Amino acid sequence: MKQNTKNLVLAALFVALGLVLPFFTGQIPQIGGMLLPMHLPVLICGLLCGWQYGAVVGLILPMLRYFLFGMPPVLTAIAMSFEMLAYGLVVGLLYSRSRFKCIFSLYRSLITAMVAGRLVWGAVRVILTGVAGEPFTWQLFISGALLTAIPGIILQLVFIPALMVALDKTGLVRFTRKKAEAAQP
């Protein structure tokens, strides 16, 4: 019960962070699309709280932000909801099932989640643009999923492992291989 309460409080914190972080991009969609500020709390939530919490936070965050602030636009928010659901689910599931909580398992989980989320985003965009009558080409997918997002991808791959190491040093998260091995009987 105590762990569930802790995870629920952390998930609420990550929702709040996801609502606030995009304001640091100055509400300029191009910068937000490059830095991906809403993705960070979802990925961290999946790592710290588990896949269930990461998936729910990822699913509700873009739509909640749309309803509260009108951004991102509704079709973008719908696609992002599914994308970030995949992020939280995949990163949390892979990391929780890792035998050792080490930098390798962290990067494997992060990169796999990022690829899975982008593929889900692309699939949802194809469906949504078919409904809206707009073409969604391979070039738009590569541009939106990879090229414009490179700064955000780098930020995620640098900041999240650094945060996990810092949390490990405080004792809040068991991260390093040595500690994981020592904890096993």
Side-chain angles (χ1 to χ4, degrees), residues 139-160:
Q139 291 81 10
L140 287 173
F141 173 76
I142 292 297
S143 175
L146 183 63
L147 298 180
T148 59
I150 288 174
I153 292 167
I154 292 169
L155 177 65
Q156 292 166 9
L157 292 174
V158 171
F159 176 74
I160 294 173

Side-chain angles (χ1 to χ4, degrees), residues 22-41:
F23 286 115
F24 291 109
T25 64
Q27 292 298 89
I28 301 169
Q30 294 82 2
I31 294 175
M34 288 179 2
L35 295 180
L36 313 171
M38 278 197 291
H39 297 158
L40 288 169

Side-chain angles (χ1 to χ4, degrees), residues 99-101 174-185:
R99 185 168 180 197
F100 298 109
K101 305 295 190 246
R174 188 179 73 208
F175 178 64
T176 60
R177 174 171 270 190
K178 186 186 291 185
K179 288 182 182 177
E181 289 173 342
Q184 296 197 3

Side-chain angles (χ1 to χ4, degrees), residues 96-140:
S96 70
R97 297 191 188 255
S98 298
R99 185 168 180 197
F100 298 109
K101 305 295 190 246
C102 61
I103 198 74
F104 174 75
S105 63
L106 177 62
Y107 272 111
R108 184 191 70 209
S109 301
L110 275 174
I111 292 168
T112 305
M114 291 161 72
V115 169
R118 288 304 186 171
L119 292 174
V120 167
W121 172 81
V124 173
R125 287 296 303 220
V126 165
I127 292 166
L128 291 175
T129 54
V131 170
E134 301 171 9
F136 188 71
T137 64
W138 179 249
Q139 291 81 10
L140 287 173

